[in-house]
Amino acid sequence: MSARDTDWEGVRLHVVTGKGGTGKTTVAAALALALAGRGRKVLLMEVEGRQGIAQLFDCPPLPYDERRVAVAPGTTHHAGGDVYALAADPESALIEYLEMFYNLRHAARALTRFGIVDFATTIAPGLRDVLLTGKAAEATRRKVNGEFTYDAVVMDAPPTGRISRFLNVSSEVSGLARVGPIRSHADTVQRVIRSPLTAVHFVTVLEEMPVQETLDGIAELRGLPSGGLQLGGIMVNMVRPVPLPGDDLGKAAGGSLDAGELSLALKAAGIDDEAVPGGRSALAVSLATELAGYAREALAADGQRRRLAGAARPVYELPRIPDGIDLAALYRLAESLREQGAA
Ligand SMILES: Nc1ncnc2c1ncn2[C@@H]1O[C@H](COP(=O)(O)OP(=O)(O)OP(=O)(O)O)[C@@H](O)[C@H]1O
Ligand SMILES: [Mg+2]
């Protein structure tokens, strides 16, 4: 196993954001598996009430409870570790919070029954966020008998458009609770989120819009008042293999790939096809057209890579898995993240 050391030594809470549909849930799961690789225990947490993790690991919907969903493969030097998963929701987080700090489980249940939690989180959306980030911070810091319960927590977080608001909760909540328990809870959460314990990773694909969102999101987090929020890496997802070596790529994209040469190559490979005027085979002509499409795509992808490089963050690339994402594919993505030093 050639995995090198992680680029994120000391990070215990990995927040994974990105444009919708670029693979946040998939990459968060792969990162959790990668982190679990060296015999570690990792919590993968979702906060959007979508049950994306259960679908991904092909298990029944997750309750508000930490369940083991996968075992990471071990290496020559380490046994495999475990990935636990949690689907967090604000109601359960509030009940748990009130019970943990005030022993108020029954009162809290009554509050939920009368819809008061919904009401409160509607008039103070920041409260919702602080309950969810609070759960992540709690799991990150939790210790039993002096030992951390989890070596790392990975959060499948809201998309880029909402992430800075989601994480920068203290100013939001302050209107509702300038002093008192919610305030100090929010402050504790902020201390975890704005510390070297936390890193925010961005998932993107090599296309104009998601790349723009990534660059905007990074700029926004960099501009947060009082700073202290650690930017993580850029995980470039669904990367397609480049169809041709460098020189030919430009030629193919420009439509000047020599179809005559292709015809000869096809003939040499024993693929004989009917000739069209000019002596080239029909197959070679359509192949050249198809290659031109792929080549243009590959060149455009390189352009997006250059834009991402401007953000000056570590970049990790994950292949597009042609047959879709199953557990085996997740292991493959996890392995790739480890090899590149993301975990
Ligand atoms: N590397 C990959 N190769 C192939 N398919 C992928 C890859 N990564 C993700 N997908 C597929 O792309 C789709 C979107 O992925 P995913 O659900 O992880 O994105 P998301 O950003 O979490 O989406 P949402 O914004 O809806 O939460 C899924 O069908 C997933 O299986
Ligand atoms: Mg998702």
Side-chain angles (χ1 to χ4, degrees):
M1 177 82 70
S2 63
R4 58 187 180 97
D5 284 352
T6 167
D7 294 343
W8 307 103
E9 197 65 56
V11 172
R12 302 176 43 76
L13 174 56
H14 297 262
V15 177
V16 179
T17 183
K19 182 170 162 35
T22 54
K24 290 182 297 299
T25 304
T26 307
V27 173
L31 181 60
L33 274 172
L35 289 164
R38 301 170 218 205
R40 297 187 185 159
K41 192 171 164 185
V42 178
L43 179 67
L44 172 63
M45 177 177 166
E46 70 183 326
V47 295
E48 302 250 85
R50 303 254 303 272
Q51 291 289 343
I53 296 174
Q55 274 176 36
L56 200 52
F57 287 95
D58 208 8
C59 56
L62 296 164
Y64 187 82
D65 189 14
E66 291 153 33
R67 294 269 167 104
R68 191 168 79 167
V69 290
V71 179
T75 67
T76 9
H77 305 295
H78 301 276
D82 294 317
V83 176
Y84 284 71
L86 168 70
D89 65 271
E91 283 78 17
S92 313
L94 180 61
I95 292 177
E96 192 185 59
Y97 167 76
L98 290 173
E99 181 185 56
M100 216 183 284
F101 293 95
Y102 302 102
N103 222 346
L104 277 178
R105 177 171 284 267
H106 292 298
R109 290 209 184 281
L111 291 180
T112 13
R113 203 161 49 240
F114 294 122
I116 290 171
V117 177
D118 269 350
F119 177 70
T121 52
T122 307
I123 59 166
L127 181 60
R128 229 186 147 72
D129 294 344
V130 82
L131 288 166
L132 296 170
T133 50
K135 182 62 195 170
E138 182 273 318
T140 302
R141 299 183 336 145
R142 190 187 313 155
K143 281 185 174 177
V144 175
N145 299 330
E147 298 260 325
F148 281 118
T149 304
Y150 293 107
D151 298 296
V153 175
V154 179
M155 185 200 258
D156 177 11
T160 332
R162 285 192 281 125
I163 192 68
S164 88
R165 214 182 155 133
F166 180 74
L167 295 175
N168 185 32
V169 286
S170 57
S171 51
E172 287 280 322
V173 174
S174 60
L176 179 79
R178 266 178 227 291
V179 290
I182 293 288
R183 172 83 242 183
S184 74
H185 182 57
D187 288 345
T188 310
V189 175
Q190 281 303 301
R191 273 199 293 281
V192 174
I193 285 183
R194 290 168 178 258
S195 80
L197 288 179
T198 302
V200 182
H201 306 291
F202 287 78
V203 179
T204 188
V205 292
L206 290 173
E207 288 165 18
E208 171 78 25
M209 294 276 289
V211 165
Q212 191 58 49
E213 261 200 54
T214 302
L215 296 174
D216 291 347
I218 289 175
E220 196 179 342
L221 289 194
R222 280 195 170 126
L224 280 184
S226 78
L229 200 138
Q230 181 178 201
L231 285 169
I234 299 175
M235 277 99 172
V236 177
N237 192 23
M238 306 195 216
V239 175
R240 291 168 192 270
V242 178
L244 291 168
D247 272 4
D248 290 346
L249 205 58
K251 271 194 217 155
S256 61
L257 198 68
D258 192 339
E261 234 173 84
L262 264 177
S263 304
L264 291 177
L266 285 171
K267 231 179 217 129
I271 304 169
D272 225 346
D273 194 30
E274 70 184 273
V276 293
R280 301 163 309 175
S281 81
L283 184 60
V285 172
S286 67
L287 209 54
T289 313
E290 197 168 318
L291 272 174
Y294 282 126
R296 276 192 292 271
E297 208 175 272
L299 287 179
D302 269 343
Q304 300 304 335
R305 276 190 187 91
R306 283 193 292 276
R307 293 179 69 208
L308 287 173
R313 299 308 307 155
V315 173
Y316 311 99
E317 296 211 355
L318 293 169
R320 191 185 130 82
I321 311 274
D323 300 328
I325 302 297
D326 55 10
L327 197 56
L330 281 181
Y331 284 143
R332 219 178 115 188
L333 296 177
E335 176 64 25
S336 167
L337 284 172
R338 296 249 320 253
E339 279 170 4
Q340 296 175 72

